[in-house]
Amino acid sequence: QEKETARQWFEDAGDARNENNDTFGAYKGSNVLVVQVEAFMNFMIGKEIGGEEITPNFNKLMQESLYFSNYYHQTGQGRTSDADFSSQSSLHPLPTGSVFVRYPDHSYDTLPQILGQNGYETGAFHAYEGSFWNRINMYKAMGYNHFYSKKDFKMDESLGWSLGDKSFFRQSLGFMTKEQPPFYSFLITLSSHHPYSLPASVRQLDTGEFKDTIFGNYLESIHYADAALGELVEGMKRDGIWDNTILYVYGDHDNSITDKADYEKFLGKSLNELDMHQIMNQVPLLVHLPDGKNGGIYDQAAGQLDMAPSLLHLLGIPSDSYYMMGNNLFASGNKFVVLRSGAFTDGKLYYIPSPDNVFENGSCYDLSSREKNDIEKCRVPLEEVKKRLQISDDLIMTDLIPELRNNQDIQDR
Ligand code: GP9
């Protein structure tokens, strides 16, 4: 019965994702460069401090890119590894622990594997110990041709935990442009990692009243990561790959700074439960297409699970036969985004679970008025939330994908 429920769910979701519109296959054969930025949150995009932009390079890039202003991280305890797993496999992370550590030997339909089967050279890049989050084993299982870890980089810019993002991008570009195109490259940054204590020599932002607080240091780190992103774009242009590469940049998770007073001071307004929940769960997503088309602000609800099916859509590879749970950002239809905590939004409603996980004790908001709704409005969609999380957990923990695929093949014969 559980398997039949899962099979049926994936069949329906696959149909909903498939849409043969203008963007399907519009960038077939392009390189794809994905950057997952450490602790990169959405609340300071486009914002200034003392008249200076926090993320000037990202803001500039937005003018010729698709910027998703309601993109959610869907991570759990596995933090950076969860963001990676959910984005690449379009499944939810686990309620406890990290899939990378607990089930690296189970089967998933991952973006590097699928692109590898479609003629792409695939590489993961992260200038830290290869064993952290069990990446070395997981990346092999995910089908990457290469994993460039700390040992492959020259430590010519030491910052925080490891190599600075500027040098990391410069050296990563050097590695990937030696490959035969098309390539799929996944870069994970690190310089904006907690506790955000960059040396004075690279601090470029005057954070005023936040100076020497963790919140101020966070803004400084993001300002540095943004400068590195600007250099990456310049490097891509210099190396002649800007016009044939899809650039997909997103944040992995929140910054662990939970004091509401910091955000209220920074944003200059008082914040309610809904505001704070969105601040802590939204990360930016920017997609730059090779021809610079379709730029603008997209405010539909979206999340990390949407990355794999959406990139496959742009490349003209249908995703309906894959066991993926995310939406296609480029298809029409309702978008439903489920967070690991059991929170959800469909762009109209927003449910925040209570710590005791009793439905009635949670909050059901109307996003247009930003006021609390009758809780009952969230009851039915919450059943779908539970169903999705359960299907995802079963798939991961009992290694269900090969079995479902086998049964499907038998039925199709
Ligand atoms: C380390 C980095 C940090 O390799 O990815 O992971 P996090 O602590 O943010 O989960």
Side-chain angles (χ1 to χ4, degrees):
Q1 180 56 34
E2 282 154 24
K3 285 176 200 160
E4 177 50 25
T5 308
R7 190 201 61 74
Q8 190 60 53
W9 192 92
F10 283 106
E11 197 176 306
D12 296 346
D15 290 346
R17 272 199 312 265
N18 253 6
E19 196 169 292
N20 203 350
N21 56 20
D22 287 359
T23 46
F24 180 74
Y27 304 96
K28 198 176 179 60
S30 299
N31 302 312
V32 180
L33 200 163
V34 174
V35 185
Q36 179 175 294
V37 183
E38 177 63 34
F40 192 36
M41 294 168 73
N42 199 37
F43 72 92
M44 76 276 155
I45 297 298
K47 297 279 187 299
E48 295 183 350
I49 192 151
E52 215 183 321
E53 290 172 281
I54 317 287
T55 58
N57 294 284
F58 188 94
N59 300 347
K60 190 168 146 224
L61 207 50
M62 270 168 66
Q63 291 163 15
E64 44 171 310
S65 306
L66 294 82
Y67 164 62
F68 289 82
S69 55
N70 285 297
Y71 195 69
Y72 291 85
H73 77 80
Q74 292 167 292
T75 64
Q77 292 175 348
R79 303 289 280 167
T80 297
S81 71
D82 281 355
D84 183 342
F85 176 74
S86 294
S87 302
Q88 305 292 349
S89 74
S90 195
L91 293 176
H92 288 279
L94 292 170
T96 54
S98 157
V99 182
F100 273 35
V101 177
R102 296 182 61 195
Y103 300 105
D105 50 346
H106 287 186
S107 296
Y108 313 102
D109 289 335
T110 70
L111 196 55
Q113 191 178 47
I114 297 164
L115 293 182
Q117 289 158 354
N118 281 274
Y120 277 72
E121 194 66 34
T122 61
F125 302 72
H126 182 56
Y128 197 56
E129 307 303 337
S131 57
F132 201 86
W133 284 127
N134 199 26
R135 285 186 174 102
I136 195 154
N137 294 315
M138 189 61 177
Y139 286 166
K140 230 175 265 161
M142 286 168 93
Y144 284 106
N145 300 132
H146 313 278
F147 171 29
Y148 298 94
S149 68
K150 187 171 183 179
K151 64 175 177 28
D152 300 294
F153 290 85
K154 210 166 131 208
M155 283 295 136
D156 57 4
E157 186 198 7
S158 179
L159 267 194
W161 279 31
S162 185
L163 181 66
D165 291 346
K166 288 185 180 178
S167 176
F168 167 63
F169 283 148
R170 195 166 53 240
Q171 294 186 57
S172 298
L173 264 185
F175 293 133
M176 74 185 86
T177 49
K178 281 197 192 72
E179 303 293 351
Q180 179 75 16
F183 60 75
Y184 171 65
S185 298
F186 177 53
L187 279 61
I188 306 162
T189 75
L190 192 54
S191 298
S192 47
H193 198 282
H194 194 272
Y196 318 113
S197 41
L198 291 184
S201 57
V202 292
R203 290 179 184 224
Q204 301 283 324
L205 191 68
D206 181 0
T207 56
E209 55 183 330
F210 292 106
K211 194 170 164 46
D212 293 331
T213 66
I214 185 148
F215 191 84
N217 292 350
Y218 170 69
L219 296 179
E220 300 248 28
S221 297
I222 292 299
H223 191 66
Y224 166 82
D226 174 79
L229 181 68
E231 290 190 8
L232 172 70
V233 171
E234 287 315 307
M236 288 173 73
K237 289 180 180 167
R238 210 172 35 239
D239 290 346
I241 60 167
W242 184 243
D243 297 330
N244 56 5
T245 302
I246 298 171
L247 177 68
Y248 191 104
V249 183
Y250 65 95
D252 60 357
H253 52 64
D254 64 83
N255 57 10
S256 307
I257 304 173
T258 53
D259 190 350
K260 186 164 87 158
D262 287 328
Y263 298 93
E264 291 188 325
K265 207 196 290 176
F266 176 74
L267 296 168
K269 57 179 183 188
S270 66
L271 303 168
N272 66 15
E273 182 197 27
L274 173 62
D275 298 327
M276 262 321 270
H277 201 274
Q278 286 189 308
I279 285 174
M280 296 312 284
N281 287 281
Q282 286 189 344
V283 290
L285 165 64
L286 180 142
V287 187
H288 184 269
L289 297 172
D291 52 14
K293 276 193 184 156
N294 295 317
I297 297 179
Y298 293 71
D299 64 1
Q300 69 203 57
Q304 287 168 337
L305 268 78
D306 304 349
M307 183 177 96
S310 304
L311 285 172
L312 289 173
H313 173 93
L314 294 175
L315 299 175
I317 304 170
S319 67
D320 53 337
S321 64
Y322 298 120
Y323 291 91
M324 296 182 167
M325 299 193 93
N327 300 308
N328 176 356
L329 295 170
F330 304 100
S332 50
N334 289 340
K335 302 293 190 294
F336 192 65
V337 178
V338 174
L339 309 191
R340 183 63 256 190
S341 60
F344 76 82
T345 182
D346 59 0
K348 294 191 180 76
L349 291 174
Y350 194 101
Y351 179 74
I352 304 175
S354 63
D356 63 9
N357 245 333
V358 173
F359 168 69
E360 288 79 4
N361 295 342
S363 312
C364 183
Y365 283 92
D366 175 339
L367 279 179
S368 54
S369 67
R370 300 191 70 79
E371 299 290 331
K372 267 192 199 176
N373 253 333
D374 174 3
I375 190 81
E376 288 306 319
K377 291 220 162 101
C378 282
R379 192 183 285 278
V380 174
L382 197 71
E383 288 309 310
E384 176 65 14
V385 170
K386 286 188 203 148
K387 185 173 176 180
R388 289 189 188 199
L389 292 172
Q390 190 61 55
I391 291 174
S392 183
D393 293 348
D394 289 346
L395 220 69
I396 294 167
M397 295 200 272
T398 61
D399 201 13
L400 214 51
I401 294 182
E403 205 178 318
L404 288 174
R405 180 156 286 132
N406 244 336
N407 292 344
Q408 194 59 41
D409 288 350
I410 292 165
Q411 278 180 24
D412 292 348
R413 257 180 242 153

